[in-house]
Amino acid sequence: MYIHIFVTMRIEDEIKQEKFSSEYTKLLINLVYTGNRISFKTNEILKEKNLTLQQYNVLRILRGQHPNPATVNMIIDRMLDKMSNASRIVDKLELKKLAQRTMNKEDKRCADVHITSKGLDLLLELDEKVKVNERSVIHLTLKEVKTLNDLLDKLRG
């Protein structure tokens, strides 16, 4: 039986900076640092499957739409990283046979994007690894997670 003991590591200790100009500055630095740390861990899992975080995000969007198609504009609206080039990501997913683009029957200017069965299988394979990763990097109770989600929603509001 393993007992996990989590030690709180202050941002000051992590980046070796004792003072911040304000608590607001400290919060912003803390959010960026923590987000990058979580992304790094997720990237390690995805790298094993030759995927980037942005490609994984697009695959999850496509799975959420499945069996219906998505458009590139819909993907852009739902992406976590708004600076990503969704069209180029879809191109790369097509090369890997994880997504397929077809012409939209109603609007020839738009393309429909579908996840392939290979893409669905890959996500299924990654689901458990990603869940284990989430539990290993988020050392909070469910109540704390809900409170943090509410606070982050308020912060963005």
Side-chain angles (χ1 to χ4, degrees):
M1 178 177 179
Y2 293 98
I3 298 174
H4 294 285
I5 299 173
F6 299 110
V7 178
T8 301
M9 187 66 137
R10 300 174 336 133
I11 189 67
E12 291 89 343
D13 299 331
E14 290 279 344
I15 66 170
K16 295 166 183 47
Q17 178 177 334
E18 274 307 310
K19 293 186 179 190
F20 295 92
S21 60
S22 71
E23 283 296 314
Y24 293 99
T25 300
K26 178 180 174 180
L27 171 65
L28 291 175
I29 290 169
N30 210 340
L31 285 169
V32 170
Y33 183 85
T34 304
N36 286 339
R37 188 168 168 178
I38 292 168
S39 292
F40 178 80
K41 297 271 190 186
T42 305
N43 273 324
E44 287 180 329
I45 293 168
L46 299 176
K47 190 185 279 189
E48 295 172 12
K49 299 297 180 182
N50 194 29
L51 276 183
T52 66
L53 199 53
Q54 292 82 5
Q55 290 169 353
Y56 177 66
N57 183 211
V58 170
L59 283 175
R60 293 190 63 218
I61 292 166
L62 294 175
R63 178 172 63 182
Q65 280 296 114
H66 183 72
N68 299 317
T71 63
V72 172
N73 284 338
M74 177 190 297
I75 293 168
I76 291 168
D77 287 342
R78 295 183 182 181
M79 286 187 73
L80 298 175
D81 181 357
K82 300 296 184 191
M83 301 303 290
S84 295
N85 184 331
S87 187
R88 190 174 305 162
I89 292 169
V90 170
D91 290 342
K92 290 180 180 182
L93 292 173
E94 275 191 292
L95 288 172
K96 296 176 184 185
K97 309 262 189 263
L98 301 172
Q100 181 179 13
R101 197 184 320 223
T102 57
M103 292 305 293
N104 183 295
K105 289 177 177 69
E106 285 87 41
D107 186 349
K108 299 294 182 203
R109 296 170 295 165
C110 291
D112 290 334
V113 185
H114 293 268
I115 191 167
T116 64
S117 58
K118 183 177 177 183
L120 289 169
D121 291 344
L122 178 60
L123 285 180
L124 195 60
E125 188 179 333
L126 286 168
D127 283 344
E128 188 56 35
K129 289 181 181 184
V130 170
K131 282 182 185 170
V132 168
N133 178 55
E134 286 173 357
R135 287 184 220 110
S136 74
V137 297
I138 301 175
H139 310 294
L140 302 172
T141 66
L142 182 58
K143 182 179 179 185
E144 290 170 328
V145 167
K146 288 178 180 179
T147 300
L148 183 56
N149 277 324
D150 289 343
L151 289 170
L152 290 171
D153 288 344
K154 183 177 181 180
L155 181 68
R156 280 189 323 280

